Amino acid sequence: MKLNFKCWTALSFLMIMPVCINAQNFTEQNLANPDNTPAPVFPVPNERQMSWFETEFYGFSHYGPNTFVGSEWGNNRRPNAQEFAPQTVPNCEQWVSSMKSAGMKGMVVICKHHDGFCLWPTKSTDFNVLNSANAGPQTDIPQLVSEACKKYGMKFGVYLSPWDASNEHYAEPEYITEVFMKQITELCTNYGELFEIWFDGANGGSGYYGGSSMTNRTIDKATYYDWDNLLDSIHKMQPNCVVWGREFRWCGNEDGYSGKTCWSNFDISEVTVEGANNSGIEDGLMFIPSEVDVRTTSKWFWTQDDESNTKSAERLFQIYLESVGRNATLIMNCAPNTSGVIPNRVVTSLEGLGQLLQTRLTNDFALNKTVTANITRTPGSFAASNITDNNKNTYWATNDGQTTGSFVIDLGETKTIHYVMLQEYIRLGQRVKSFTIETSTDNATWTTFATGTTIGYKRIMAKNDDTTSYGSGQSARYVRVKITDSKECPLIHTVSVF
Ligand code: FUL
């Protein structure tokens, strides 16, 4: 009797089990979703943001009257277009080729800084190159840079300061309709495709260089520029252009780092909160990823003295790890001098950075290597081998509700490794909250390489997350990544080992 009962119990278990397995595995598969694609975890990026993220690293160039008088913000001078006095038309090809040598994939050109001087022949104000000195009137900076970008296969973007410290209409509605919007329209229609438009958040309050006769120069930043309509207008003219402050955010500092925890999720109302800018907001409702802006020297505009502050290639590499390697993009300033070129010292550091990126982050030991996961989403095409197939559109996933999982990459032979790069399939939302990387030479004894929190578009982990030096690395034939917490099932599209 006892035996029979046991038999029945076992039999019923066996009969029920396939149903349970089906119930677990087929949750997301239905007629509308035959591929069992995981449901998105919102917010998710738009196409513009995806291709902006993939640009990863690009430059900008603070250049204008400030270059010739050695100031950063105009310093309350009366507007004088003659201060912009290049002896020859600047060599914008040299700007772009130097940036390319560093590994950059695009350039954002300063078209108007806070002083209000327009580096192109705009119809919106007389304070522009046409009234400048020497070769100034022949100098249409966005034109020259966009041509150079085309020639060197680089993306092209523009920086336009909303704050205009010299325009007499600033702080009045006329400035938006008759000046700012006209400038945006000229830049969006005359120079080809833009990938990014940068609107600086700086606002110097009363800051009218003409001085005391003008009062009431302060504005309400949240409403004055009519951001929502501005965004629509820009996208009508430039559908592939991401807009500063709305589609990407300032990282919260100008020292070249994003938070180790860095969510692309954010809320517009937090745009000015420094800490939030740096780490994002885990449950933020909008996808507004981080952009790190940094100088190659210590000032935004060139001065002779500041050349001695040029950062070394190693320091720039560290900045790269702490920005691109922390789920942000990196925009690096390379200020041209009065001769219209980026100084040699800066070029040397840029080239050095390009070489470091080449030698340290291109030879992927994991490419096409075998990957074994402890759990894989079924049915569907979510195999662990997707992680090393060099295809950004395939990914490994776990089943719904399974917020942890691990996989082992077999490098085939023991290597000395310095960096592990991880990428989530963020088209379906950023998910991972914590992970651990371990290595082994025998697939039995494991040593921790590094632990981290968020991954996002890209996370590059150095040993012990120490970005300060290249170090001696760690011996590894097997690399194990454990996702220890995630908002929903983790989706990992690539892991590279260098
Ligand atoms: C800041 C500006 O005030 C600096 O002059 C520079 O343009 C930098 C990129 O952004 O907020």
Side-chain angles (χ1 to χ4, degrees):
M1 188 66 187
K2 228 178 174 183
L3 202 75
N4 275 350
F5 177 75
K6 265 192 181 165
C7 281
W8 269 114
T9 316
L11 203 60
S12 351
F13 181 66
L14 282 174
M15 285 164 69
I16 293 167
M17 210 166 76
V19 179
C20 293
I21 289 169
N22 284 348
Q24 185 195 1
N25 288 350
F26 284 77
T27 10
E28 282 298 312
Q29 191 184 35
N30 54 44
L31 284 178
N33 184 18
D35 296 333
N36 191 23
T37 303
V41 173
F42 290 102
V44 296
N46 61 35
E47 276 307 318
R48 282 186 290 275
Q49 290 171 314
M50 278 310 301
S51 67
W52 168 86
F53 242 142
E54 286 165 3
T55 313
E56 296 189 354
F57 178 30
Y58 38 93
F60 62 173
S61 54
H62 282 67
Y63 177 72
N66 288 337
T67 310
F68 294 86
V69 296
S71 75
E72 283 283 275
W73 266 23
N75 299 351
N76 290 322
R77 299 187 312 276
R78 200 168 274 280
N80 174 6
Q82 294 279 308
E83 284 181 350
F84 184 67
Q87 286 302 329
T88 54
V89 172
N91 186 351
C92 296
E93 267 201 47
Q94 188 261 4
W95 306 2
V96 171
S97 64
S98 307
M99 291 179 188
K100 187 166 177 148
S101 75
M104 298 184 196
K105 297 189 205 143
M107 173 171 173
V108 172
V109 64
I110 308 295
C111 296
K112 179 185 82 167
H113 201 250
H114 310 327
D115 59 7
F117 181 77
C118 293
L119 288 133
W120 78 101
T122 178
K123 294 192 170 66
S124 64
T125 170
D126 290 339
F127 193 36
N128 75 53
V129 281
L130 291 178
N131 297 308
S132 65
N134 302 333
Q138 290 90 56
T139 299
D140 182 341
I141 290 286
Q143 180 64 32
L144 292 165
V145 173
S146 73
E147 279 167 11
C149 282
K150 270 191 207 105
K151 181 165 172 186
Y152 287 87
M154 300 266 276
K155 293 190 184 178
F156 171 66
V158 294
Y159 167 119
L160 184 74
S161 170
W163 175 37
D164 188 320
S166 64
N167 196 281
E168 58 177 344
H169 296 300
Y170 187 74
E172 294 160 9
E174 288 75 14
Y175 170 74
I176 301 302
T177 53
E178 301 308 311
V179 182
F180 191 47
M181 202 54 223
K182 280 190 178 158
Q183 295 175 346
I184 290 173
T185 305
E186 288 175 358
L187 294 174
C188 283
T189 48
N190 293 337
Y191 300 103
E193 183 167 332
L194 304 179
F195 83 101
E196 164 171 323
I197 187 161
W198 226 87
F199 292 129
D200 207 301
N203 182 296
S206 63
Y208 170 65
Y209 295 158
S212 52
S213 60
M214 309 300 291
T215 51
N216 194 21
R217 293 274 149 191
T218 47
I219 51 119
D220 176 355
K221 277 201 235 178
T223 54
Y224 181 57
Y225 300 109
D226 194 6
W227 290 118
D228 291 338
N229 280 317
L230 200 70
L231 195 74
D232 280 354
S233 309
I234 291 170
H235 289 154
K236 280 195 186 112
M237 296 182 278
Q238 289 284 344
N240 301 322
C241 178
V242 289
V243 177
W244 186 93
R246 281 297 182 273
E247 290 177 298
F248 66 97
R249 66 177 195 266
W250 178 51
C251 70
N253 66 76
E254 292 181 336
D255 300 321
Y257 65 91
S258 170
K260 287 186 176 184
T261 296
C262 185
W263 292 96
S264 291
N265 306 353
F266 207 64
D267 286 324
I268 295 277
S269 55
E270 302 290 335
V271 156
T272 55
V273 182
E274 210 157 296
N277 277 28
N278 206 232
S279 58
I281 299 172
E282 184 177 324
D283 295 320
L285 296 176
M286 305 184 79
F287 195 90
I288 309 180
S290 172
E291 182 193 72
V292 169
D293 60 326
V294 75
R295 292 157 279 211
T296 43
T297 56
S298 70
K299 293 185 171 161
W300 292 106
F301 285 89
W302 175 86
T303 66
Q304 184 72 62
D305 290 351
D306 195 35
E307 280 193 29
S308 61
N309 296 319
T310 303
K311 296 180 172 84
S312 67
E314 280 289 353
R315 173 73 186 114
L316 297 181
F317 182 75
Q318 181 187 358
I319 288 171
Y320 181 93
L321 291 179
E322 294 177 0
S323 52
V324 177
R326 290 186 186 165
N327 192 34
T329 63
L330 172 60
I331 183 164
M332 188 175 277
N333 186 53
C334 311
N337 60 20
T338 45
S339 304
V341 291
I342 297 174
N344 286 339
R345 212 161 164 161
V346 175
V347 173
T348 303
S349 286
L350 293 176
E351 288 171 353
L353 170 61
Q355 280 155 15
L356 290 177
L357 290 172
Q358 191 67 31
T359 51
R360 294 180 182 173
L361 290 174
T362 50
N363 183 19
D364 178 8
F365 298 141
L367 187 63
N368 294 323
K369 293 292 180 338
T370 309
V371 194
T372 317
N374 74 336
I375 180 164
T376 294
R377 184 180 185 86
T378 48
S381 311
F382 306 101
S385 55
N386 291 341
I387 290 172
T388 54
D389 68 354
N390 195 28
N391 182 346
K392 63 184 180 183
N393 298 315
T394 62
Y395 53 91
W396 164 80
T398 62
N399 289 314
D400 290 335
Q402 179 74 44
T403 54
T404 60
S406 69
F407 51 85
V408 177
I409 306 172
D410 179 358
L411 303 179
E413 58 183 315
T414 301
K415 301 275 188 191
T416 302
I417 71 163
H418 291 82
Y419 303 105
V420 177
M421 187 194 87
L422 308 109
Q423 294 192 273
E424 282 187 76
Y425 186 76
I426 56 164
R427 284 177 182 277
L428 293 175
Q430 188 181 345
R431 297 156 182 247
V432 174
K433 296 207 258 185
S434 65
F435 64 91
T436 300
I437 302 168
E438 298 160 317
T439 65
S440 168
T441 49
D442 58 4
N443 209 5
T445 316
W446 295 91
T447 311
T448 301
F449 179 78
T451 56
T453 50
T454 51
I455 296 178
Y457 167 75
K458 186 175 270 191
R459 183 76 166 96
I460 304 173
M461 297 302 288
K463 185 176 170 180
N464 298 325
D465 205 6
D466 176 6
T467 48
T468 56
S469 76
Y470 187 53
S472 53
Q474 187 158 312
S475 284
R477 168 164 173 180
Y478 302 92
V479 176
R480 179 161 71 188
V481 177
K482 287 181 175 167
I483 306 297
T484 47
D485 197 9
S486 180
K487 284 187 165 184
E488 236 302 341
C489 54
L491 318 179
I492 306 296
H493 85 67
T494 297
V495 174
S496 300
V497 178
F498 304 102

